[in-house]
């Protein structure tokens, strides 16, 4: 009887995992082109130049892959070319872009999540 009960528990656990997995179907993220329009910036927030980075005279560009969600807000952000992890410029670039708002990209007239590449420059003038 224990074997049957244990087997029943395993079958139920596997079924639960299958049901949860189906409910969490990953959404696809498109790229501009081939019927997908690029998102358009509605509100842009400039990054803060940290005092430590200014003192060290760090200048350059942070490149990021940014997912613009179907509601026009920013989702996942990944730094693809770092400028500065020590004095906070990479973090400030991510913090700023997460506040941007877009008219979302569209496919077949429907808003869809779109992956775009954004660069933020830091320059001392």
């Amino acid at each position: 009887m224990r074997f049957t009960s244990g087997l029943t528990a395993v079958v139920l656990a596997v079924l639960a995992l299958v049901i949860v997995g189906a409910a969490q179907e990953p959404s696809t993220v498109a790229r501009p082109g081939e019927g997908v329009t690029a998102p358009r910036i509605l509100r842009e927030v400039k990054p803060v130049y940290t005092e430590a980075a200014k003192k060290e005279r760090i200048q350059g560009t942070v490149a990021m892959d940014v997912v613009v969600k179907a509601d026009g807000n920013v989702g996942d952000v990944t730094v693809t070319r770092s400028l500065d992890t020590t004095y906070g410029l990479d973090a400030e670039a991510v913090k700023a872009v997460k506040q941007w708002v877009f008219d979302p990209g569209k496919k077949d007239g429907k808003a869809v999540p779109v992956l775009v590449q954004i660069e933020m420059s830091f320059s001392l003038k």
Side-chain angles (χ1 to χ4, degrees):
M1 202 64 165
R2 280 187 174 166
F3 181 76
T4 305
S5 297
L7 182 59
T8 301
V10 169
V11 169
L12 289 175
V14 170
L15 283 174
L17 289 173
V18 169
I19 292 167
V20 168
Q24 295 177 349
E25 182 178 312
S27 63
T28 58
V29 176
R31 291 182 182 264
E34 297 187 24
V36 177
T37 62
R40 188 175 50 86
I41 300 169
L42 298 176
R43 185 184 70 175
E44 181 178 345
V45 174
K46 300 289 185 195
V48 173
Y49 217 128
T50 65
E51 289 303 317
K54 284 181 189 177
K55 183 178 177 186
E56 294 297 319
R57 305 203 47 79
I58 297 171
Q59 298 183 79
T61 303
V62 177
M64 299 168 281
D65 280 347
V66 176
V67 175
V68 177
K69 300 187 298 185
D71 66 3
N73 291 308
V74 172
D76 293 335
V77 177
T78 304
V79 173
T80 58
R81 187 175 66 239
S82 174
L83 170 62
D84 161 56
T85 57
T86 304
Y87 301 103
L89 295 183
D90 287 359
E92 288 298 327
V94 170
K95 189 165 136 184
V97 81
K98 282 186 171 262
Q99 297 175 66
W100 288 23
V101 177
F102 293 82
D103 178 21
K106 294 178 179 66
K107 181 174 181 162
D108 301 323
K110 181 180 176 190
V112 294
V114 177
L115 178 69
V116 295
Q117 296 168 338
I118 295 175
E119 293 184 351
M120 284 197 185
S121 296
F122 292 85
S123 176
L124 295 169
K125 297 179 184 179

